[in-house]
Amino acid sequence: MIRLVAIDLDGTLLSADHETITPRTQRALRMAQEAGIRTVIATGRMYRNIPDSVREACGADYAITSNGAALWDVRSDAIVYENPIRYAKAGQIIGLLSRAHVYYELYYHGASYADRSCYGAINRDLLPDWYEKRIRVHSQPVDSALSFVVVEKRDVEKFNIPFLKEDTYRRLWDEIAALGGVTVVSSLGNNIEVNAAGADKGDALMRLCNQLGLDRTQVLAIGDSGNDVQMLGYAGVSVAMGNATAHVKTLADYICPSNEEDGVAAVLEGLAEKYRQA
């Protein structure tokens, strides 16, 4: 019997505006909670970018963030597990990105930071309005990302390089991967997300289940993109959204309706109904 559901946010739980949980999905989340099913947020976002409304709707005690680099106890607002990029390796990545003259964010302890010098490199031709708003609200400028990380010896949860031109995207992906000791994935468009090797949603979900005394056969995971692959692989039951990438769909046990068609709600309603009949 499924005891825990891990749910991605963007493209999965949230509507196309990347902010809204529909009323039907909110009702389905409550039904799942009332049936004794735990729900866990599993996102590429940093912790401070999860809206309070989402945390409340999910009723989640834990949140997997930054693609699995950090596992947060929502009740105590504290990290209970982390696998960051060590500061020396992070310094190499910063050097590479600085030479490429692209906008990038680095996630540290649940928040997002960006070097002041790279704000001018934001590609507004490709950047959607909702993401530009996210940058304005959540990205904290620092005078020097290299000093912030290397001099202060801060390990980085994740680098995010959003909405790149195709040729830049492919070149940077290869150059970053060639550094070694990192995982490179993408969750939407031509964005690049860099984590420490071994840091992914599946790893964090496994560690959470070990902490809760749950077997993977008791876990269902729902996602739509490349940073959900390991999580879907770990879960006993995997569900891809109707809007998921073709690759993710081939890996999933089931495909539900899209995030614009209340796909998550359909899955949770089905689970809650099984619990009522049990």
Side-chain angles (χ1 to χ4, degrees):
M1 189 72 95
I2 298 300
R3 298 294 180 186
L4 182 148
V5 178
I7 311 173
D8 172 53
L9 290 187
D10 296 289
T12 301
L13 182 68
L14 301 178
S15 299
D17 63 3
H18 298 269
E19 295 181 1
T20 305
I21 302 179
T22 67
R24 179 186 171 189
T25 301
Q26 291 182 44
R27 289 193 297 271
L29 286 164
R30 288 195 296 272
M31 290 170 58
Q33 292 157 25
E34 290 166 1
I37 302 168
R38 289 179 179 264
T39 52
V40 174
I41 297 165
T43 181
R45 297 188 185 201
M46 65 282 192
Y47 183 68
R48 303 300 174 194
N49 192 15
I50 301 174
D52 290 338
S53 58
V54 171
R55 298 185 207 181
E56 292 166 5
C58 288
D61 294 327
Y62 297 92
I64 294 167
T65 66
S66 297
N67 288 345
L71 171 64
W72 287 75
D73 184 320
V74 176
R75 297 161 301 181
S76 62
D77 206 39
I79 294 175
V80 294
Y81 167 74
E82 59 184 336
N83 183 7
I85 303 169
R86 299 304 177 188
Y87 68 89
K89 176 66 68 176
Q92 294 179 19
I93 297 170
I94 290 170
L96 190 157
L97 297 175
S98 297
R99 291 190 294 274
H101 303 291
V102 294
Y103 173 79
Y104 66 93
E105 307 159 333
L106 61 91
Y107 297 171
Y108 168 73
H109 205 71
S112 173
Y113 300 86
D115 194 304
R116 291 184 192 277
S117 67
C118 75
Y119 280 93
I122 293 175
N123 191 339
R124 288 185 167 82
D125 291 338
L126 298 177
L127 196 71
D129 290 342
W130 65 267
Y131 204 96
E132 188 164 3
K133 177 183 176 183
R134 183 187 293 185
I135 290 172
R136 290 198 305 270
V137 173
H138 294 288
S139 182
Q140 302 179 43
V142 294
D143 291 332
S144 168
L146 197 61
S147 294
F148 180 80
V149 170
V150 177
V151 175
E152 299 298 327
K153 297 184 178 180
R154 291 184 169 105
D155 298 331
V156 174
E157 292 175 10
K158 170 184 161 180
F159 284 92
N160 189 52
I161 311 106
F163 298 99
L164 297 165
K165 293 181 179 179
E166 182 69 21
D167 57 341
T168 305
Y169 169 77
R170 293 186 180 280
R171 174 174 56 82
L172 274 180
W173 184 294
D174 291 342
E175 290 177 354
I176 294 169
L179 293 174
V182 296
T183 298
V184 186
V185 297
S186 180
S187 63
L188 70 144
N190 278 6
N191 79 315
I192 295 175
E193 301 171 31
V194 188
N195 291 95
D200 57 61
K201 293 183 185 181
D203 174 69
L205 182 57
M206 176 192 70
R207 293 173 188 275
L208 174 60
C209 289
N210 290 343
Q211 181 173 320
L212 298 176
L214 295 175
D215 186 82
R216 60 185 295 272
T217 59
Q218 298 173 295
V219 178
L220 182 149
I222 315 173
D224 73 303
S225 60
N227 66 342
D228 297 315
V229 167
Q230 288 80 8
M231 175 176 76
L232 295 174
Y234 171 77
V237 179
S238 58
V239 181
M241 301 298 294
N243 53 286
T245 65
H247 177 58
V248 168
K249 287 180 178 178
T250 64
L251 300 175
D253 298 316
Y254 303 98
I255 299 173
C256 71
S258 74
N259 62 325
E260 287 294 276
E261 301 169 302
D262 288 317
V264 170
V267 174
L268 295 179
E269 288 163 357
L271 282 178
E273 181 62 28
K274 287 182 179 179
Y275 270 73
R276 280 196 296 268
Q277 295 175 359

